[in-house]
Amino acid sequence: MKNPAKSIRIGTMVSATKGMAAKRIAEIADLGFESFEPFFWQTTNGQDLAELGKRCREAIGDRDITISTIGMFGNPLEETDIDLETLQGWKACIDNAHHFGATCVAGFTGRIRNRPLTDSLARYRKVWRELAARAADKGVKIAFENCAMDGNWATGDWNIAHNPDAWELMFNETPDDHIGLEWEPCHQMVYLIDPLPQIRKWAPRIFHVHGKDATIRWDVIREHGIFGKEQFVFMRTPGFGDSNWTDIISELRLAGWAGSIDIEGWHDPVYRDALEMTGQVHALNYLKNCRGGDFVELSA
């Protein structure tokens, strides 16, 4: 019998920008990951995505591993050369997601740089209504990561999808059912937003989840505030941060959610560089335990 625990899979992200995604998948596929999210930063670098998708699937082979989502991160709302490459990258990822076996493309909305968030809505509407129609034709979902990239309501460079108030505005502009979120608790915690209640409200719009957490140093906040010289929050790999992922996964299951939680590494202040994969494998096993890894069927 199929393991129902695996309706939520635990995997990791794999950089695809420099053409090494398939090689990296082959290197780490036997560590226990159940899914991968190949992702691009600002550009696909002219790669043949159909061929890359084929190579990624060949690297997986007959293992029980999926690719549900591919990522395209950058600013597709602005019009510098690299921003236009990001926009073209979104189009290429939407058109070629099926070659990876993916049904979702994730990334940032983009943003009109150094302007209040609401100044981006007109451009957001124009770009994303066109991309939403393209994705609908391909049977692809679009998921916006809830990452501020150090921006806020008043100013920013990359993304407007970092705040629940912004989500309301965005989904009013693009009400399509296949436009949603790539959600994680970390990006809410760094702005002192309680992430758990968001699942209950926004689960129908959550298409993909990143495995990333945060540690909030409340003693620093009480002494120095959030604008002082002392860092009050650290992004963490799951299992090292403040979140109880058993609660997160339980809330996702209660909402009927199924999909992949792909670990987003490279941010933890301790488990990075030489300890990167040590931290990721710990997170993998931690999240599997939070999910419930072994299906037990009682005989009649």
Side-chain angles (χ1 to χ4, degrees), residues 230-285:
E230 300 294 333
Q231 187 171 351
F232 72 91
V233 63
F234 294 89
M235 296 184 182
R236 303 303 306 270
T237 304
F240 300 108
D242 291 348
S243 295
N244 183 335
W245 283 81
T246 298
D247 290 345
I248 290 171
I249 292 172
S250 292
E251 289 291 347
L252 288 169
R253 287 199 190 280
L254 285 169
W257 192 84
S260 295
I261 300 173
D262 288 322
I263 296 162
E264 181 183 348
W266 315 291
H267 292 82
D268 195 287
V270 178
Y271 291 92
R272 64 192 313 163
D273 300 327
L275 291 175
E276 176 66 39
M277 290 312 298
T278 298
Q280 286 209 30
V281 171
H282 173 86
L284 171 67
N285 293 323

Side-chain angles (χ1 to χ4, degrees), residues 127-142:
V127 169
W128 287 105
R129 284 189 178 180
E130 293 176 4
L131 289 175
R134 190 186 196 104
D137 288 343
K138 298 290 185 179
V140 170
K141 293 181 177 181
I142 291 172

Side-chain angles (χ1 to χ4, degrees), residues 5-223:
K6 281 193 174 182
S7 64
I8 294 179
R9 289 176 172 265
I10 312 300
T12 191
M13 300 177 70
V14 175
S15 176
T17 310
K18 297 180 180 179
M20 304 299 288
K23 180 176 183 292
R24 184 59 172 163
I25 287 172
E27 289 172 349
I28 64 175
D30 290 325
L31 294 179
F33 295 107
E34 300 166 342
S35 64
F36 290 111
E37 180 191 0
F39 72 95
F40 302 92
W41 177 250
Q42 295 191 280
T43 177
T44 63
N45 277 321
Q47 295 179 74
D48 182 336
L49 297 196
E51 176 62 23
L52 178 61
K54 178 184 176 183
R55 287 191 284 113
C56 286
R57 295 177 76 171
E58 287 175 348
I60 290 171
D62 60 0
R63 301 177 182 90
D64 182 19
I65 297 173
T66 62
I67 296 175
S68 70
T69 300
I70 60 176
M72 184 68 238
F73 296 91
N75 185 347
L77 297 194
E78 287 276 24
E79 296 184 305
T80 69
D81 289 346
I82 191 62
D83 298 326
L84 293 174
E85 283 193 49
T86 297
L87 180 58
Q88 287 303 122
W90 268 98
K91 294 175 182 178
C93 285
I94 289 169
D95 292 348
N96 290 282
H98 64 286
H99 291 293
F100 294 82
T103 57
C104 181
V105 180
F108 302 148
T109 58
R111 182 167 182 160
I112 304 303
R113 292 188 175 95
N114 304 316
R115 301 293 301 166
L117 185 147
T118 50
D119 286 3
S120 294
L121 290 176
R123 179 68 175 160
Y124 169 87
R125 179 173 60 250
K126 181 180 188 304
V127 169
W128 287 105
R129 284 189 178 180
E130 293 176 4
L131 289 175
R134 190 186 196 104
D137 288 343
K138 298 290 185 179
V140 170
K141 293 181 177 181
I142 291 172
F144 298 127
E145 186 178 1
N146 60 336
C147 175
M149 292 291 286
D150 295 322
N152 54 44
W153 200 269
T155 188
D157 294 331
W158 298 97
N159 192 27
I160 65 172
H162 57 79
N163 182 288
D165 296 323
W167 303 343
E168 299 278 5
L169 295 173
M170 290 160 40
F171 296 140
N172 184 58
E173 300 292 346
T174 51
D176 314 75
D177 290 339
H178 65 292
I179 306 295
L181 298 170
E182 181 174 63
W183 182 88
E184 65 178 68
C186 172
H187 291 313
Q188 302 307 281
M189 295 167 70
V190 298
Y191 288 101
L192 305 183
I193 298 172
D194 184 359
L196 204 60
Q198 289 183 350
I199 299 174
R200 298 168 201 145
K201 180 175 181 179
W202 294 97
R205 289 283 192 176
I206 297 174
F207 298 158
H208 188 244
V209 173
H210 272 171
K212 191 156 100 253
D213 206 344
T215 295
I216 301 171
R217 290 184 165 177
W218 291 103
D219 58 322
V220 172
I221 293 172
R222 284 188 288 270
E223 182 175 355

Side-chain angles (χ1 to χ4, degrees), residues 1-9 64 66 258 293-297:
M1 181 177 180
K2 200 171 182 179
N3 183 353
K6 281 193 174 182
S7 64
I8 294 179
R9 289 176 172 265
D64 182 19
T66 62
D294 296 323
F295 174 50
V296 178
E297 183 180 14

